[in-house]
């Protein structure tokens, strides 16, 4: 097996050949729609023209919709229903690009094909990491003699080593560090579960701008946990197996009850807009619910998305202390979305949708099947009552509970986040994040808990394997505007 | 419509003709099995023989299994697997009976057909109310002239009145009140939703032993909220209707994956015993999970059930202050179980089970379809991971989440509790209580919230309708014994 370059997350090696849809065939664009492939290409061209690549070193760290002003959009949507000729709010892209090693925040107008603003960011904080630079950084070790010597010292085969880039956090330094990552490596050799086989005690620091290793230290040799029993693939499991369950599936003989019209989703009494962003993943906008008595839609939420996933580790050792990941802001909750596995990630009645993000060169990348939408029939009851007090009949009225789920899975390294937006007929929106995947573990010299006489910042789970103490904090941006001023369905 | 007698809950007017199953046809009895119909009859006969009904006034307030000693039972179950001739723990019934106006707690042995103990309870607290005495108490008002005058004063038709008996709580009195209930009445006349039409400000106090009204007060006239818009029956709904959803169902072409063997349920890696009790409803015992590596069952929970549902109201008015209901201990969470509606209360793949409780005369009453058992296929994911780091393949492993649900619905007056025990393949048991039905409301003179200038102990929900402040506290008896000493499957 060839040693792998680091792509911290996402299936970027599955890049599809891009098929550009002619504008004329597109449905009417909604002002909150994600950028289209053509728009990504235009944004890239406009930025490149304004900063010619012959004289500039340009990387696109983020391209997404520059969200229109809320009030302007609401006014337009309301007027648009009666006066469809009114111009929509300006269609703009927000771009974060590194141009000659500076972070530019640009707003690009897609009607006039020009740059509306170009601001250089001098403060703390760095843009999203691109796949390409993470890839580049984690490849460097394979040409770094001290690293190869460190592998040799441990008796590890270089072709079984996989490396990742880790954001370094911020600990109150007043001097800016520049764009720096650490590279951490894992070992395969008999398993695909690399996360269970960390190669500990080696620190590799990479300056992303120079794309060079600026610091290397091999502190001590810690045993790499064994491969046996770590492979999670069904095909690799051995007897004894647990009891097999008989088949079970959900059936909708007349098809689904939801309608997907471009980015608009309608189901039961719900209507909402769904888009996708490289940084935050799914964005639900303009969620409204139809009031059958008033015969009008009533606003519930203007815009909602996961704004950040903060994952700090509580380990003070030299190779772990800095691990305080912002999975959205550093790696991209949307960028790390993975293709959903039909019949497993989502039930048989699910419909799948793709999305686009920008590559480092600004060109669109198609991400197939990042969303699934399905009606959830969990066997729950929405409302019921049995009335025993009025003989001779027993009155039993039961309304089964159905809901609509929009799901995305984002795999940030070892962790898989299952992100659900669930719309219920009673008028509530339920947000859920399921956390699964593989536990982040630290290699250790210990093989039994009784040997441990120091703080190891974790729990011994198996020989040489500590489950590392950490938290997952998920924050949401929820702009609720229940019964906000509304004239009909937006 | 004839005026109805009060049966606070339960479908006791659907009493089935009892078909007695010959003992010889029964499966081997488990020591934790609920009492069988024959056992109820034997218990009744033994108690009646010991206190002849010709000289005694006897009512059976509760008959259930006298739970065997835990350690004795576990030892027997362990030995029984190797030495099936060992005698099981004594099979006994626990009986609470009123005999000549005293509360007797009796233990009846079902092997020797004798009374093991007969204790008279002198302390605070009263046994479960029987349907029959609740029925009797709420009928009394219809022959009580001041009550009929009170209806007349309000312009209400007696044939549209439905009455209920309410437990009176305990407020630290040192003198025992005797077995006393209050009777509260509601009005139909154009709706089946009697709970939305309380007839307020009348206090009726009934002594259950004398079966007489001991106190009556008609304090003031409060408007009865109107019937319009309160009927919840699907057949009574008028346009405009909400959007209709297309059909959706769950299908198991090869049948369910669970096996019900008497009271034992086996599904996936789980094995447990299910029984039913008039007071607490479903009882899950001896829940164990199979460890495929150790190739043995591991204990998780010895016994679990809802021990009480406490529903206190926060209303200090004369007719409401006493409402501090113990739904299990006073009305019977099991007694109030209702027949589940196939395809609505439980999905298409559910299997239904009945149960028995004792009537006031001690004879068994069959309660059909009080349980449903089904595999839940909610579209959730048990575990997943996508591995992007090992080209050329993307590894995606997803294990969909299936679980087994045991459901009972208990309707205590206006409230319907949906009681689920959910067994998950990851080894957890999830207990859920869904609260639905009809909100307890208080009649009020107010028709708009701006009129209210006093504490009304509720929220004005509609004209003359206050949603009454209250809580629902649910407590569980959970005797967890994870990995308790076990020799094989119990």
């Amino acid at each position: 097996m060839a040693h792998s370059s680091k792509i911290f997350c996402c299936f970027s090696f599955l890049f599809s050949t891009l098929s550009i849809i002619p504008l004329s065939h597109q449905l009417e664009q909604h002002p909150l729609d994600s950028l289209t492939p053509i728009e990504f290409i235009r944004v890239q061209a406009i930025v490149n023209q304004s900063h010619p690549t012959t004289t500039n070193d340009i990387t696109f760290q983020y391209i997404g919709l520059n969200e229109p002003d809320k009030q302007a959009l609401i006014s337009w949507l309301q007027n648009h229903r009666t006066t469809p000729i009114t111009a929509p709010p300006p269609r703009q892209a927000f771009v974060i690009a590194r141009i000659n090693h500076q972070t530019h925040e640009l707003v690009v107008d897609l009607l006039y094909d020009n740059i509306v603003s170009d601001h250089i960011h001098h403060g703390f904080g760095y843009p999203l990491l691109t796949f390409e630079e993470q890839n580049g950084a984690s490849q460097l070790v394979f040409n770094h003699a001290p690293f190869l010597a460190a592998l040799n010292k441990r008796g590890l085969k270089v072709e079984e080593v996989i490396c990742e880039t880790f954001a370094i956090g911020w600990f109150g330094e007043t001097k800016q560090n520049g764009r720096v990552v650490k590279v951490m490596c894992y070992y395969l050799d008999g398993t695909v579960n690399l996360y269970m086989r960390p190669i500990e005690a080696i620190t590799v620091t990479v300056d992303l701008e120079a794309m060079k290793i600026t610091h290397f230290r091999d502190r001590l040799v810690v045993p790499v946990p064994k491969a046996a029993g770590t492979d999670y693939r069904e095909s690799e499991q051995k007897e004894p197996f647990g009891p097999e369950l008989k088949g079970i599936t959900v059936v909708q003989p007349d098809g689904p009850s939801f309608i997907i019209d471009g980015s608009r989703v309608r189901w039961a009494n719900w209507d909402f807009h769904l888009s996708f962003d490289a940084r935050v993943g799914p964005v639900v906008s303009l969620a409204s619910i139809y009031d059958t008595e008033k015969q009008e839609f009533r606003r519930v939420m203007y815009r909602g998305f996961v704004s950040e996933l903060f994952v700090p580790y509580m380990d003070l050792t030299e190779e772990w202390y800095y691990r305080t990941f912002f999975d959205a802001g550093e790696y991209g909750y949307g960028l790390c979305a993975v293709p959903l596995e039909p019949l497993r990630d989502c039930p048989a009645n699910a419909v799948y949708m793709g999305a686009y993000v920008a590559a480092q060169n600004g060109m669109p990348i198609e991400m197939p099947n990042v969303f699934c939408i399905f009606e959830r029939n969990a066997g729950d009851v929405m409302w019921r009552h049995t009335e025993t007090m009025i003989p001779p009949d027993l009155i039993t009225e039961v309304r089964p509970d159905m809901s609509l789920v929009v799901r995305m899975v984002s795999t940030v390294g070892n962790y898989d986040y299952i992100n659900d937006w669930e719309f219920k007929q009673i008028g509530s929106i339920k947000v859920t994040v399921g956390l699964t995947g593989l536990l982040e573990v630290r290699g250790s010299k210990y093989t039994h808990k009784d040997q441990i006489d120091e703080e190891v910042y974790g729990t011994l789970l198996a020989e040489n394997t500590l489950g590392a103490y950490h938290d997952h904090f998920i924050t949401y941006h929820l702009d609720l505007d229940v019964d906000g001023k509304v004239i009909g369905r937006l």
Side-chain angles (χ1 to χ4, degrees), chain A residues 201-267:
Chain A
I202 299 172
T203 300
V204 183
T205 310
V206 172
D207 181 325
L208 287 179
E209 296 299 323
M211 199 48 88
K212 277 191 179 144
I213 293 173
T214 54
H215 172 79
F216 180 89
R217 188 179 180 207
D218 180 8
R219 191 164 61 89
L220 78 162
V221 172
V222 175
V224 172
K226 64 183 177 197
T230 64
D231 203 315
Y232 46 76
R233 286 173 296 180
E234 214 163 80
S235 57
E236 297 299 311
Q237 303 312 302
K238 293 186 178 61
E239 291 195 64
F241 299 119
E244 281 253 333
L245 296 181
K246 293 175 188 169
I248 184 166
T249 190
V250 60
V251 172
Q252 293 190 280
D254 304 319
S257 297
F258 56 83
I259 294 167
I260 303 174
D261 175 9
S263 304
R264 294 287 286 280
V265 182
R266 288 196 294 273
W267 174 80

Side-chain angles (χ1 to χ4, degrees), chain A residues 14 25 83 96 109 146 150 169 203 249 279 302 319-320 333 345-346 364 408:
Chain A
L14 283 190
H25 289 188
T83 323
I96 302 177
D109 190 288
T203 300
T249 190
R279 184 177 175 283
Y302 178 68
E319 300 82 12
W320 278 74
Y333 195 48
D345 273 318
C346 313
M408 181 203 72

Side-chain angles (χ1 to χ4, degrees), chain A residues 345-367:
Chain A
D345 273 318
C346 313
N349 59 330
V351 167
Y352 296 82
M353 286 169 71
Y356 292 89
V357 292
Q360 182 174 288
N361 65 4
M363 291 296 285
I365 299 170
E366 187 177 3
M367 300 176 75

